Structures are given as structure tokens and as C-alpha cells.
Amino acid sequence: MNFTRWSARLPGTQRRAAARTEQTASPDRRGEGSVPAARAEQLTDEPPSVPAVDELRVREVLDRVPSLVALVHGPDHRIAYVNDAYTTAFGVRPLGERAREALPELDALGLFPLLDQVQRSGKPRTVKSRKAPDGRSYTFTCTPVAQGDGKGGSDGRGVLVFATDVTDHAEAAERLRASERRQRETAVTLQRSLLPQELEEPDDLRVAATYHPGGTEAAVGGDWYDVITLGGGRTALVIGDVMGRGVRAAAVMGQLRTAVRAYARLDLPPHEVLQLLDGLAAEIDANQIATCAYAVHDPNEGKLVYASAGHLPILVRDENGTVLRAEEPTGPPLGTGGWMHSSGSIPLGPGSTAVLYTDGLVERRDADLDEGIAALERALAGATGTPQVVCDRLVRSAGVTPDHDDDVAVLVLQHPARTGPDSELFRNAALELLGGVEAAPRARAFASGVLTSWRFPADLHDLGVLAASELVANSLQHGTPPMRLRLRRTDRRLIIEVTDGDDHLPRRRRAEPGDESGRGIAIVATIASNWGCRRTPGGGKAVWCEFALPRTQGT
């Protein structure tokens, strides 16, 4: 193969050759008195002239470049030329042979379809960082060239293959990717360790949750959830999302989750919990904000009381399959400050299912957020089964895959509709107390009758009557009407609660021998498994205690 014919047709070669011819045919004409060229060279400080680039032979240049160069021609890509660097990398290649057989390294790299495309289109193409059989990585640029006058049809077209060794860059990029993978694994490990390892199991609710970190190309976020039993049959549920990525977001999430558990133990209304979290979030990191939804379920009320700090609405599917959306109230995210949060409520009766979730489940770059929430509502309307089954179905319906571009957290809770023998394990009884000297005896008689009808053993019956008597006596002495005594049993515990109209919360104290009062709460705290108190909406308080049932009582 005559390489000179090909080199003359390389891009820019004809233009430079024409320029040289024009310069040679038009010598410099100087007028009289002009300084001879030799004399002019002596009088200047310019360095001696060097050969122009156009005067160099293309083959000599390509033979010396460290990059790999190969030239193929014709529809079957026969080898016209390979330079020394190519030969050093892959060995001697016979000229005139078909490249598919003689250049197996290009076949291994999948470049032959690219050669065909370049030859057909007449446009250069580049593929980046392909690892060759010699173990090194190259970026290949394929450029079309023409033979002779370019009138030879397809046989007159060739492709110049130019490969630059980018092994060092590729290895550096791989080290960077490995470092990013390690950082992501660290963040995922931290994230999972800060999430509940095992959800608490409330008496009256069945719960399940799932967490899916973003795909390998997305740094893990700060999504979290929690289930917190408050005592007295009440349960707090929380879900949140720290705006950020990586270890820092996971660490902030862990601090907020710990704070939520601490504030929940105060048994405050949901909006007051968010108010405390808002101030804490600003102290943790003023540059990071978080969304959060905090809800409390009380089986006696049949509803979910909640507050939201910029979080997505809770969805509830009732026993008939109708899905409700908890729209308002919604305040700004945590950490913004200057906002008074407020609580709302949504029905959650027996047979209902509620879903709390983060934006990764419903938010897509190519769709409006409301469309994602509406799609989740439709999926929830048809999702039946256990909470875990519902969780899995909602995640699948949202198209969440291992390479999903955002974290996803989902918390599902169900208030079962109990029937048959199971319903006998969940009972309620209440008595309105009008006050006066007859209130205490009436309360004791009522508690004794109820506990007898529930077939409690004698020792638990007596402890329950004593606790009810002490709580009622405390309310009569320190509280105000209206007053109510409520007894509730589940499959695991007996709960006794007294409410009144005074919002002063009692505290346990040590009574001196001469004191006539102050022993009631101490007695209750001693005989009960747990006790507590909280303020009720609209003013007033509730004081409760609970007794763990023997295993035979919960079956």
C-alpha cells in the first residue's frame, strides 16, 4: 500500500501543500538599497529558521508519536498502516489484511461497528477509556480519510484510528470511584445502624417499615422512621428526611431521631414535639434542614393526631378502601425557625391502614409531585394484606429499584378490626365521675366489677382496684371536673386512666411520716408496671398506669 497517497488526503494536508506551493512561486521582491538576506540574518537577533510543520512527512510524524495509530481502508477495513507505538503494544500487524482478522484487539474492544459508522457518515467518532487486551486503557478517535482524489467510491475511503493511553487517568478515576463507594458504604452502614433495628410492637397496631438507600451513583441521604410506645395504649409514629447527602446527613438524622425519642417520652402534643425539634435542628447545623411528620395514635379516640414540618401528607385507607389525604396543617421544615406548628387529625378506626413515607417514593424528575402522591393513593387503595405486604407492594408500584436515584423510607401501620375470640382480649370500660364523697366508692365498685367480668386473677384484680382508687382519690383532691375513669385491656396489659379538667401534672414525691397526702402516686408507681401523665387537648390532664398481664391472660 502506497502510504503517500493516503497521507496526502489527511485532513488539512492539501490546504497546507497549496500554501507551500504559493509561497515558493512568489519569492520576496526587494527594492534597491534593500539589505541582502544574509546580511539581514546577521543584523537580527531572531533564531535561525526551522523546518515548517508542513514540510514534515506525515508518516515520520506518526511513527514517532507515543499514541497508537492505525490506518484501515475499504469496506472490509484492510490494514494500510500501523505506527511503532501500535506495534509495540500489540505486535507486528500484516499490511493489506482484513482488520477483523489481523487486529483482534479492535474486535475485542467492539470498535468495528464504529469503523463502519465513521466510513458511512464521514464524521469522526470517539469512545472513551476502553480497556484493551494489553491491560491498558485507551481513548479511541476514529477519523475518516480519503484515498487519492476521493473518487474511488467506498474503496477510496479509509479510517484513521488514533488511540491515546489514558491508563493513569482511568486508574485515578477508578480510585476515586472506589473511594466514593467506600464513603457511600460507610454512610449506608451509619444510616442503617441509626434506624430502628427492630420496631416496637404496640398493642393496638400492627406496623412494618422499609428503607431503600439510593443507587450506587447517589450518595445516601438522611431518611428515617421510628415507632415509639408512649404508654397508656398510645403510640407515636415518626418519619423524616434530612436534606443532604452522605455521612453528615446520616449523622444529623441520628441526632434528630434520638431527640424525637426523648421528646416523645414527655408525651407532648405532636406540634409541641416539632417545635422542640425545630430549635434543635438549627443548633445541630444551621445549613441543613429536615422535613418530619410526627403522629400519635390513641386507640380510645379512633384517630391519628399529627403535625408536619414540610413533610409529605400521611395517607389513610379506611376499611372500605377509600383513601384520605392528611393535607393540613403543614409548617416549614425543621431548622428554619420562627414558625408555630399546629396539630391536625385524621380518622384511623378499626380496619384502617396509614402510610408515612419520604419523597423518594413519589418524586420523579419527569413528573409533578402531586402526580406521584396520586399514584401512591391509587396503589394504597388496592393494597391489602399485612403491613409488610403493603410496604412491599407500594415500593414495587412506585418502581423503586436497586439503582433508584433517591433514598426511600416507608412506614405502614394498621389498626386491625378484631372479631371473634380475639376481640375478647381488647375491651374498654369507662365511668363518668361527678365528684363528691360517693365518687371514690363508686370508682372502686366499678373497677372491681369490670375486672371480675374480664376474669382477671385475684391478685391482679386487687392491684387494679387499688390503682383505680388511688388515681381517682388524687384527681378528687387536686383536679377539677369533668372527671372520668377508664379501664382498658389488651392482649398484653391492663391500663387504668383517670382524666380531669386541671392541667397541673402530678409528680412522684417522698411523703414524710406526718404528711396526710402525697402517697397516692408513689403507691401507684410501686405496684404498676408503668405509669405516666400528660396534658389533654383543650386543657386538663390524664394520669394512667398499666399492669403487664400474665402470659396466660394474653392468649
Side-chain angles (χ1 to χ4, degrees), residues 72-93:
V72 297
H73 73 94
D76 52 358
H77 306 306
R78 294 187 178 273
I79 304 175
Y81 166 77
V82 292
N83 72 344
D84 294 342
Y86 197 106
T87 301
T88 302
F90 299 114
V92 177
R93 295 295 183 257

Side-chain angles (χ1 to χ4, degrees), residues 109-191:
L109 290 165
L111 288 185
F112 285 113
L114 186 66
L115 295 180
D116 294 335
Q117 182 183 4
V118 170
Q119 196 171 60
R120 287 193 305 268
S121 66
K123 297 179 180 180
R125 293 289 186 272
T126 298
V127 292
K128 296 182 178 180
S129 193
R130 293 282 181 90
K131 195 167 187 178
D134 65 348
R136 302 192 68 79
S137 297
Y138 299 91
T139 289
F140 289 86
T141 298
C142 300
T143 305
V145 294
Q147 179 184 16
D149 57 7
K151 298 179 180 179
S154 61
D155 291 337
R157 287 191 174 276
V159 180
L160 179 70
V161 181
F162 190 92
T164 305
D165 190 335
V166 293
T167 304
D168 292 342
H169 297 287
E171 291 177 351
E174 179 55 35
R175 287 194 296 271
L176 179 60
R177 286 192 293 269
S179 175
E180 291 174 344
R181 284 194 298 269
R182 287 193 297 270
Q183 291 182 11
R184 182 180 183 280
E185 290 168 1
T186 300
V188 170
T189 301
L190 175 61
Q191 172 86 342

Side-chain angles (χ1 to χ4, degrees), residues 64-400:
R64 286 170 171 78
V65 296
S67 300
L68 280 56
V69 180
L71 184 65
V72 297
H73 73 94
D76 52 358
H77 306 306
R78 294 187 178 273
I79 304 175
Y81 166 77
V82 292
N83 72 344
D84 294 342
Y86 197 106
T87 301
T88 302
F90 299 114
V92 177
R93 295 295 183 257
L95 301 182
E97 296 293 327
R98 286 166 47 94
R100 192 171 293 276
E101 289 81 22
L103 301 178
E105 59 277 359
L106 298 188
D107 193 16
L109 290 165
L111 288 185
F112 285 113
L114 186 66
L115 295 180
D116 294 335
Q117 182 183 4
V118 170
Q119 196 171 60
R120 287 193 305 268
S121 66
K123 297 179 180 180
R125 293 289 186 272
T126 298
V127 292
K128 296 182 178 180
S129 193
R130 293 282 181 90
K131 195 167 187 178
D134 65 348
R136 302 192 68 79
S137 297
Y138 299 91
T139 289
F140 289 86
T141 298
C142 300
T143 305
V145 294
Q147 179 184 16
D149 57 7
K151 298 179 180 179
S154 61
D155 291 337
R157 287 191 174 276
V159 180
L160 179 70
V161 181
F162 190 92
T164 305
D165 190 335
V166 293
T167 304
D168 292 342
H169 297 287
E171 291 177 351
E174 179 55 35
R175 287 194 296 271
L176 179 60
R177 286 192 293 269
S179 175
E180 291 174 344
R181 284 194 298 269
R182 287 193 297 270
Q183 291 182 11
R184 182 180 183 280
E185 290 168 1
T186 300
V188 170
T189 301
L190 175 61
Q191 172 86 342
R192 290 193 180 279
S193 68
L194 294 175
L195 288 173
Q197 302 305 301
E198 205 170 298
L199 290 177
E200 296 185 19
E201 299 180 0
D203 294 2
D204 294 274
L205 296 176
R206 292 185 297 184
V207 296
T210 186
Y211 169 72
H212 294 267
T216 55
E217 298 300 322
V220 67
D223 295 16
W224 94 93
Y225 55 83
D226 210 346
V227 177
I228 309 164
T229 53
L230 302 177
R234 291 154 50 85
T235 305
L237 307 118
V238 60
I239 195 161
D241 185 0
V242 176
M243 302 303 176
R245 295 285 181 181
V247 174
R248 179 58 184 166
V252 172
M253 175 276 291
Q255 295 177 78
L256 290 178
R257 176 176 173 257
T258 301
V260 168
R261 294 193 68 85
Y263 295 149
R265 299 305 179 192
L266 301 176
D267 211 343
L268 299 171
H271 65 275
E272 292 189 24
V273 172
L274 291 191
Q275 209 69 49
L276 292 171
L277 281 177
D278 185 38
L280 179 65
E283 293 178 9
I284 293 175
D285 191 338
N287 296 320
Q288 278 191 297
I289 60 175
T291 64
C292 180
Y294 181 89
V296 174
H297 175 255
D298 188 332
N300 297 312
E301 297 177 355
K303 62 183 178 181
L304 203 61
V305 180
Y306 67 91
S308 175
H311 204 77
L312 298 173
I314 300 171
L315 302 181
V316 175
R317 177 185 182 271
D318 65 19
E319 58 183 346
N320 300 317
T322 303
V323 177
L324 305 176
R325 183 188 300 194
E327 293 283 5
E328 298 293 343
T330 300
L334 302 176
T336 55
W339 182 268
M340 294 300 294
H341 292 274
S342 57
S343 296
S345 66
I346 187 170
L348 188 72
S352 298
T353 300
V355 179
L356 292 78
Y357 52 96
T358 57
D359 57 3
L361 186 67
V362 296
E363 190 172 33
R364 299 293 180 270
R365 295 179 182 177
D366 57 349
D368 185 75
L369 180 60
D370 284 335
E371 294 178 9
I373 298 175
L376 181 62
E377 289 178 339
R378 293 190 294 272
L380 178 59
T384 57
T386 66
Q388 190 59 60
V389 170
V390 173
C391 252
D392 296 340
R393 289 182 176 178
L394 296 182
V395 170
R396 284 197 304 269
S397 70
V400 177

